[in-house]
Amino acid sequence: MSIISGKVIMVVLDGLRYDTARTQMGYMNHMVEAGKAACCRVWSELPSLSRPLYEVLLTGTPSSVNGITSNQTVRLSTQTSVFHLAREQGLRTAAAAYYWVSELYNRAPFDPIEDREQHDESRAIQHGKFYYDDSYPDSHLFADAELLRRRENPDFLYIHPMGIDDAGHRYGADSKEYRGKAIMADALLANLAPGWLELGYRVIVTSDHGMNADGQHGGTGVEEREVPLYIMGTAGVKPGYYEERVPQLAVAPLACRLLGLQPSAAMAALRFPGVAYDEESEGDA
């Protein structure tokens, strides 16, 4: 197996553009400059919409294969996600995320009362706290996630705040409000990530899609498709900035490799330049 396996925290900052991450997120970029993180450009799949790209990030399959083609496609995923693979191998899974993630991997449609908090070892996401208001504060969401981490000790924790995306839709990507939410997310990571890293977690920070100046996404523009991916952790990470664009389909198999899991047969054999693979994996990762 390539890469030393361990626990992984995956943070998806909804709606975060690559250029905004590079110019506004001081802590994350400090970690790169300090030789403690890698930063890659990721080219999102189409359509550059949230629900389809949640499925891309967690199953490594495009919309033409998985059938999640719009935000209005409300049903369980038919693909094997990172959550499924982890649970099948006896790992613990958890998520603090927007309710569409629950609808994809636990139960659809979402019941705001019954499904707000979930604890069921038989489900793909065994422990979850899900919100359904786009303006739910990122500070609360990160607190939800950290409580899950402390109480449930997951091997794979998925964290998905909506503040950046919400500000982008309200004010556009070229606004102080949008940039301010990116700065706030960076500060929340600065408070929590050092503790995660000290405990030996590998941390992936990325986004589903970007945002244009009109406060929209869904199309083919660079501002809608180019998003960051930061990788932090002592094992298997090659620090630095990597300018080549990596297909978003590579994110799910990366999470699998970091967890010590074999990617599903549907996941593409792609790899990130900021990750060290051993000789065994040179031909298949």
Side-chain angles (χ1 to χ4, degrees):
M1 176 63 65
S2 65
I3 309 175
I4 300 171
S5 61
K7 294 186 176 184
V8 171
I9 295 175
M10 182 173 174
V11 182
V12 175
L13 300 175
D14 203 295
L16 176 64
R17 291 166 46 147
Y18 176 81
D19 57 350
T20 301
R22 286 292 303 270
T23 60
Q24 305 302 314
M25 301 186 76
Y27 170 72
M28 294 303 301
N29 289 288
H30 161 70
M31 293 296 283
V32 180
E33 292 185 1
K36 298 180 183 295
C39 177
C40 305
R41 294 176 185 261
V42 170
W43 192 240
S44 82
E45 282 289 304
L46 293 174
S48 54
L49 295 169
S50 293
R51 195 188 298 254
L53 296 183
Y54 302 163
E55 177 80 335
V56 170
L57 287 167
L58 286 161
T59 71
T61 60
S63 289
S64 57
V65 172
N66 62 50
I68 305 297
T69 57
S70 77
N71 287 341
Q72 287 70 48
T73 308
V74 181
R75 62 164 173 80
L76 284 171
S77 170
T78 61
Q79 304 298 306
T80 302
S81 72
V82 179
F83 292 118
H84 290 94
L85 292 169
R87 187 200 61 189
E88 289 169 3
Q89 294 301 312
L91 303 183
R92 295 175 66 81
T93 64
Y98 194 58
Y99 75 100
W100 290 357
V101 175
S102 175
E103 287 185 324
L104 281 168
Y105 307 112
N106 274 8
R107 187 169 73 180
F110 181 84
D111 184 307
I113 305 301
E114 294 291 333
D115 295 340
R116 172 79 172 88
E117 183 165 345
Q118 302 177 37
H119 298 280
D120 186 339
E121 297 290 333
S122 69
R123 290 182 173 179
I125 305 173
Q126 295 167 318
H127 303 281
K129 290 179 179 289
F130 300 99
Y131 64 99
Y132 46 87
D133 188 331
D134 289 15
S135 61
Y136 189 71
D138 288 358
S139 58
H140 291 41
L141 188 279
F142 273 96
D144 291 341
E146 179 62 6
L147 184 62
L148 283 172
R149 189 196 66 77
R150 295 182 186 185
R151 288 186 175 177
E152 308 301 340
N153 192 28
D155 297 283
F156 179 55
L157 173 60
Y158 185 83
I159 305 175
H160 170 231
M162 189 70 73
I164 297 169
D165 182 78
D166 186 52
H169 284 304
R170 291 173 185 269
Y171 306 104
D174 187 18
S175 68
K176 66 178 183 180
E177 291 85 0
Y178 179 79
R179 291 186 289 270
K181 287 295 184 180
I183 293 169
M184 180 181 296
D186 184 68
L188 291 166
L189 287 165
N191 287 335
L192 291 169
W196 298 341
L197 295 171
E198 187 174 345
L199 292 170
Y201 286 90
R202 255 76 62 81
V203 180
I204 300 170
V205 179
T206 189
S207 182
D208 48 351
H209 55 73
M211 184 75 60
N212 66 27
D214 295 333
Q216 302 295 330
H217 57 86
T220 63
V222 172
E223 66 274 18
E224 297 168 76
R225 297 190 68 181
E226 192 171 66
V227 299
L229 186 140
Y230 295 89
I231 312 169
M232 298 187 289
T234 57
V237 176
K238 298 189 294 182
Y241 289 106
Y242 297 87
E243 296 302 322
E244 64 185 274
R245 284 178 177 162
V246 181
Q248 197 172 43
L249 294 172
V251 177
L254 170 66
C256 288
R257 293 299 194 189
L258 293 176
L259 285 163
L261 302 170
Q262 183 65 36
S264 75
M267 293 179 185
L270 299 167
R271 73 183 195 179
F272 275 86
V275 176
Y277 293 81
D278 61 27
E279 293 184 357
E280 177 186 356
S281 67
E282 287 294 322
D284 67 358

